[in-house]
Amino acid sequence: MDLTFSAEERAFEQEVRDFIAGSLTPEMKRATALTPSVFSDPDIGMAWQRALHKKGWGAPGWPVEHGGPDWTPAQRWIFEAECARAGVPNVNVMGVKMVGPVIIGFGSPEQQNFYLPRILSGEDYWCQGYSEPGSGSDLASLKTRAVRDGDDYIINGTKIWTTHAHHANRMFALVRTNDGERQQDGISFILIDMKTPGITTRPILTIGGDHEVNQVFFDDVRVPVANRVGEEGKGWTYGKYLLEFERGSGIASAKLREALKTITDLADSEVTGRAIEDPDIAIRMSEVEVDIDALEMTELRVLSALQTGQNPGAVSSLIKLRVSEIRQAVTRLGVDVIGQDGLAVEPARPFYRLNHEPAIPEELLPVVPEYLNGRAYTIFGGSSEIQRDIIAKMVLGL
């Protein structure tokens, strides 16, 4: 496979750069720099989604008939890499990269016609309802139950670690509609309006001090049966499909390489006392670069599979595992480069010098929170242990 860009692809690369330069506002740049999370501030992220939608680039992984841009794998790679370099806000990951492909693959024509345009335009902001207290990696043991009552389901139970539920107006959730011989039998995939009476949320602060996740409670919540995606009791299949697309549809290597470049630049500056002169730091940077390069090749392989309509399958677990590990390595480097100042760096409460100037430059403020959140990345979306188990079973046949 020739990975050299053609003249047409180079022209597309310039088009992407020009679009980003003309559409990325100073507010977007600052918000993204200070909160380099998977999930940007919803207002900032959805403003960027609307700009992409206006350009026709709102959902790179979707088929043309549902609003996708009909890109080649190389074009999608270029787009993702340029977005990473520019530090664009993260769009509604839950909508574009998770529930959207499930609705495209398994939803009814009515669901596709209603929900997909709203995801593209940024009108709907989605959250997920998967994990429950005592049911995270062992997702099939979930207990939130939906009981049929005429044309509705009545839902009772609770979900946890629900990202941005306090902002979202819609949720996709796995609920138990009946009991089967296996735990995963009887689980259904439901689309829920978050404004429905009986839904309440409770904030959870994560290890980095952020409020991104919540616990969501359902107390006799009525949801139309028409909101069920696909067949009743087949939700486990749709849920696995969603997770594989989530883990395999992103281009993380470009963002990780930009993060490494940021740390390298800091290490090569007087701000950090030229930490790059420490041989151990330089060697660790080269090791991370090797890992990112290998990840990049795997992502290209997945992009090729997605372009031909194939599900990434177990390779998505490999990518999720490696991204989590490389992210930790990069953020550890960042903390080591900062040195003792890293003990006191907090986005909300930076310490100051005697002249009331910040003691730490603004660009260093996200490093420690990102280091703490790096550990969370090895847990959410399926822990690293679960990814290794999937690889052992599906790849090695163990």
Side-chain angles (χ1 to χ4, degrees), residues 80-277:
E80 297 271 6
E82 291 303 318
C83 286
R85 292 189 187 100
V88 305
N90 293 294
V91 296
N92 184 1
V93 176
M94 298 291 179
V96 173
K97 292 188 176 181
M98 297 180 73
V99 72
V102 173
I103 294 174
I104 289 171
F106 307 102
S108 66
E110 293 78 15
Q111 290 170 343
Q112 293 172 355
N113 292 335
F114 180 77
Y115 291 110
L116 296 181
R118 296 168 68 93
I119 293 173
L120 285 173
S121 66
E123 187 174 353
D124 281 346
Y125 193 82
W126 289 79
C127 63
Q128 94 293 356
Y130 271 36
S131 296
E132 299 180 3
S135 174
S137 296
D138 183 21
L139 185 58
S141 64
L142 65 88
K143 294 181 172 55
T144 296
R145 186 168 289 273
V147 177
R148 184 75 177 260
D149 182 32
D151 292 333
D152 293 333
Y153 286 113
I154 300 178
I155 301 177
N156 284 281
T158 180
K159 298 292 181 178
I160 202 167
W161 310 120
T162 305
T163 306
H164 278 186
H166 54 309
H167 296 297
N169 65 315
R170 299 195 186 277
M171 172 192 281
F172 55 90
L174 291 179
V175 298
R176 188 167 300 283
T177 47
N178 52 68
D179 296 309
E181 294 182 5
R182 303 176 305 165
Q183 279 190 324
Q184 54 264 48
D185 294 336
I187 293 175
S188 295
F189 194 101
I190 304 286
L191 308 177
I192 301 172
D193 185 336
M194 289 293 286
K195 295 180 180 178
T196 306
I199 298 177
T200 56
T201 63
R202 187 187 71 182
I204 300 174
L205 295 182
T206 58
I207 189 172
D210 300 320
H211 175 202
E212 284 193 343
V213 295
N214 304 266
Q215 186 169 6
V216 180
F217 300 88
F218 299 89
D219 184 12
D220 288 338
V221 175
R222 281 190 171 269
V223 177
V225 172
N227 284 24
R228 186 190 71 228
V229 174
E231 298 179 47
E232 185 174 270
K234 300 293 185 181
W236 182 254
T237 300
Y238 312 143
K240 286 176 59 182
Y241 179 90
L242 179 150
L243 288 175
E244 288 169 356
F245 257 90
E246 175 205 9
R247 296 164 186 162
S249 63
I251 309 298
S253 58
K255 292 185 178 181
L256 289 170
R257 184 164 279 119
E258 284 302 302
L260 179 61
K261 182 180 183 300
T262 298
I263 300 303
T264 303
D265 290 345
L266 290 173
D268 197 23
S269 69
E270 295 302 326
V271 173
T272 60
R274 293 192 54 77
I276 202 168
E277 295 176 358

Side-chain angles (χ1 to χ4, degrees), residues 309-331:
Q310 302 176 53
N311 190 289
V315 181
S316 65
S317 289
L318 187 152
I319 287 180
K320 199 275 182 183
L321 176 65
R322 294 302 294 134
V323 169
S324 298
E325 293 177 338
I326 296 171
R327 182 188 175 96
Q328 282 193 297
V330 172
T331 55

